[in-house]
């Protein structure tokens, strides 16, 4: 986009100011927030940049500000009238199935927040040999993906307490959960969120990867 493009800045100002007023901010603070939102919108390339993204990828991505965490991104997305999408899981040994799910999920909204099981919660679910990758590393890998806006670690047995705070518009899980009752479903729906089950890549799972690796090592050990 051309430098200085301000198309759409007025709408960004209005969305920021109205959102701040709705949150109880004083008029001067709301105006300041509106100016901030409009400035960031222009800095990111304004409407021309979003149009180019939409034409290329089918979705317009709000550019995270430097130093933003998940909560900042969620708040800014909502103030801009966008859709907050979230998904969750262990993401231990990230594989093509994970990447496919994240790509599909990101297309459903304007930001994607990934809720990541802590090391302790994974051990409770899968036993003492898991996770293979510690939470800090899993978060770092996830946030390096272009489709992930932020990742948040939770230590509970289900993501429900985290989702109570996050309040996503769309909660994504894999199609392997079809026919089951998600423990977090009531929390998502209580805040008018939608639950979407997305198709998975056949044969991709961390458990299968680990099993294959162990079998290969055993075979090599026997051969030697």
């Amino acid at each position: 986009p051309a430098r200085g493009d301000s198309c759409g800045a007025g709408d960004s100002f209005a969305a920021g100011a109205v959102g701040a007023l709705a949150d109880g901010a004083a008029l001067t603070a709301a105006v300041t927030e509106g100016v901030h939102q409009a400035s960031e919108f222009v800095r990111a390339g304004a409407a021309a940049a979003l149009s180019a993204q939409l034409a290329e990828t089918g979705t317009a991505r709000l550019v995270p500000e430097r130093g933003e965490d998940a909560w900042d991104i969620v708040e800014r997305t909502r103030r801009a009238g966008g859709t907050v999408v979230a998904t969750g899981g262990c993401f231990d040994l990230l594989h093509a199935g994970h990447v496919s799910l994240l790509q599909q999920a990101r297309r459903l909204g304007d930001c994607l927040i990934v809720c990541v099981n802590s090391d302790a919660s994974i051990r409770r679910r899968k036993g003492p040999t898991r996770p293979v990758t510690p939470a800090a590393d899993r978060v770092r890998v996830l946030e390096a993906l272009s489709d992930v806006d932020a990742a948040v670690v939770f230590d509970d047995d289900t993501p429900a307490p985290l989702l109570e705070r996050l309040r996503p518009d769309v909660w994504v899980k894999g199609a392997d959960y079809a026919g089951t009752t998600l423990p977090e479903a009531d929390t998502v729906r209580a805040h008018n969120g939608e639950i979407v089950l997305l198709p998975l890549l056949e044969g991709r799972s961390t458990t299968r990867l680990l099993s294959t690796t162990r079998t290969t090592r055993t075979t090599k050990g026997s051969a030697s």
Side-chain angles (χ1 to χ4, degrees):
R3 181 174 296 178
D5 179 15
S6 60
C7 182
D11 290 339
S12 293
F13 171 86
V18 170
L21 288 171
D23 288 340
L27 180 59
T28 53
V31 170
T32 299
E33 177 62 23
V35 171
H36 172 71
Q37 294 288 340
S39 298
E40 289 301 321
F41 182 76
V42 172
R43 183 182 65 81
L50 295 183
S51 296
Q53 289 181 38
L54 188 61
E56 182 178 352
T57 67
T59 184
R61 181 184 180 90
L62 292 171
V63 179
E65 298 176 29
R66 187 174 183 179
E68 276 190 320
D69 62 15
W71 311 110
D72 295 326
I73 293 170
V74 167
E75 181 181 6
R76 187 159 61 90
T77 300
R78 286 210 170 96
R79 286 185 175 179
T83 298
V84 176
V85 182
T87 188
C90 300
F91 297 96
D92 196 14
L93 293 184
L94 195 72
H95 53 72
H98 290 139
V99 174
S100 174
L101 182 72
L102 294 170
Q103 289 174 333
Q104 294 177 75
R106 185 60 180 78
R107 296 189 190 107
L108 298 177
D110 300 288
C111 73
L112 175 61
I113 309 299
V114 181
C115 304
V116 183
N117 289 80
S118 70
D119 295 346
S121 69
I122 291 178
R123 279 192 292 271
R124 290 194 298 269
R125 288 180 55 189
K126 298 180 178 292
T129 63
R130 300 283 299 275
V132 175
T133 309
D137 288 355
R138 287 182 279 128
V139 166
R140 186 171 182 177
V141 170
L142 284 165
E143 291 188 337
L145 300 176
S146 62
D147 292 294
V148 175
D149 292 271
V152 182
V153 177
F154 66 93
D155 195 44
D156 299 281
D157 290 333
T158 80
L162 176 57
L163 294 177
E164 181 66 40
R165 181 182 175 191
L166 189 62
R167 296 182 290 112
D169 300 300
V170 181
W171 174 243
V172 170
K173 295 295 286 183
D176 53 333
Y177 283 91
T180 67
T181 300
L182 294 171
E184 66 271 19
D186 288 344
T187 301
V188 174
R189 291 176 178 136
H191 297 288
N192 299 315
E194 177 186 5
I195 297 173
V196 176
L197 302 182
L198 295 176
L200 300 173
L201 286 182
E202 186 70 27
R204 271 75 165 188
S205 76
T206 298
T207 300
R208 180 170 293 190
L209 279 174
L210 290 173
S211 177
T212 300
T213 301
R214 292 188 185 108
T215 300
T216 301
R217 287 177 178 173
T218 300
T219 302
K220 287 183 177 179
S222 300
S224 62

